[in-house]
Amino acid sequence: MGLRTRTKVIIGTATGVVVLAAAAAIAGPVIYANTVNAQAEAAPSISASAPGATRTLDAADADGTWTSRDTSFAGYRVHEVLQGNDVNVVGRTKDVEGTATVDGGSLTKATVTVQVAKISTPESARDEYFRDTALQTDRFPTATFTLTEPVDVAKALDGGTQDVTLTGTMDLHGVEKSVTADAQVAVGAGGDVQVVGSVPITFADYGVQAPSLGFVTVDGKGSVEFSLDLAK
């Protein structure tokens, strides 16, 4: 093989490597975005067995204090842009404690406390940043929603799936703010009550800075999601 031929081969090979490297740099974020989006769980919803078409609760059964079961969960949903690719990230934990008081067809009291440090995603590096830098869970280990206005839940107790607005306060990262949550309530076939919903939040309101690292930018707004299975 002559010098000129070998030179052409070397140049051609080098060019191919550069093209492949460029393609990988472009495809990498796309593959990552597709992977994360596929892993993101759907928003909480009333489970198939929960709607109360097969079960209603009268006042004697409904009135009193309800406590969350270990099937309950909570977490967050945020949107980020990675080199032009939309990514939806969902973190979840079952380390949730909730109580609710029903009186005469109304939800009169409710508190939900989430162990923020236990929230996880499929990506451990993201979780470490979330715990250590964003929310400083060593100082602020929990987030708590407290209902401040009673809510009529009579339709749900009569066997329907009821849309409700939960008005309360969110204590997150050491800051307490008034919030509203869009939620649904239903009675399950076994007599338990399921409450699902989300609370929209703006990170800056809680002294949390959404990361912007050049190659990835996280939206300044997200949501806290929850699904509570309540039993007496």
Side-chain angles (χ1 to χ4, degrees), residues 69-90:
R69 302 177 60 183
D70 59 8
T71 50
S72 302
F73 64 85
Y76 68 85
R77 183 179 299 271
V78 297
H79 172 264
E80 63 185 30
V81 177
L82 175 66
Q83 295 186 7
N85 296 279
D86 292 314
V87 182
N88 293 298
V89 179
V90 177

Side-chain angles (χ1 to χ4, degrees), residues 14-216:
T15 302
V17 171
V18 171
V19 171
L20 288 174
I26 295 171
V30 174
I31 294 171
Y32 172 82
N34 290 340
T35 300
V36 174
N37 288 332
Q39 292 171 335
E41 298 186 59
S45 61
I46 297 296
S47 65
S49 61
T54 57
R55 182 65 189 264
T56 62
L57 292 176
D58 59 28
D61 292 328
D63 285 356
T65 300
W66 296 73
T67 304
S68 61
R69 302 177 60 183
D70 59 8
T71 50
S72 302
F73 64 85
Y76 68 85
R77 183 179 299 271
V78 297
H79 172 264
E80 63 185 30
V81 177
L82 175 66
Q83 295 186 7
N85 296 279
D86 292 314
V87 182
N88 293 298
V89 179
V90 177
R92 295 275 172 86
T93 180
K94 288 188 174 182
D95 285 305
V96 178
E97 293 183 2
T99 60
T101 300
V102 176
D103 185 8
S106 292
L107 178 64
T108 57
K109 296 179 182 179
T111 302
V112 182
T113 299
V114 182
Q115 298 297 322
V116 180
K118 298 295 186 179
I119 296 175
S120 64
T121 70
E123 178 54 59
S124 59
R126 179 192 292 112
D127 297 340
E128 183 177 355
Y129 181 92
F130 174 83
R131 291 190 300 265
D132 299 342
T133 303
L135 290 182
Q136 301 171 293
T137 57
D138 58 332
R139 297 172 56 195
F140 311 106
T142 62
T144 301
F145 171 83
T146 304
L147 187 73
T148 56
E149 296 182 11
V151 181
D152 181 3
V153 292
K155 178 181 176 181
L157 300 179
D158 284 341
T161 297
Q162 182 175 355
D163 295 325
V164 298
T165 299
L166 305 178
T167 301
T169 60
M170 175 69 75
D171 189 332
L172 175 67
H173 197 236
V175 178
E176 186 176 288
K177 293 285 185 180
S178 297
V179 297
T180 56
D182 292 326
Q184 289 187 313
V185 184
V187 179
D192 291 351
V193 172
Q194 186 181 10
V195 184
V196 303
S198 64
V199 181
I201 61 170
T202 300
F203 296 124
D205 290 347
Y206 296 91
V208 176
Q209 183 176 358
S212 180
L213 306 178
F215 61 92
V216 60

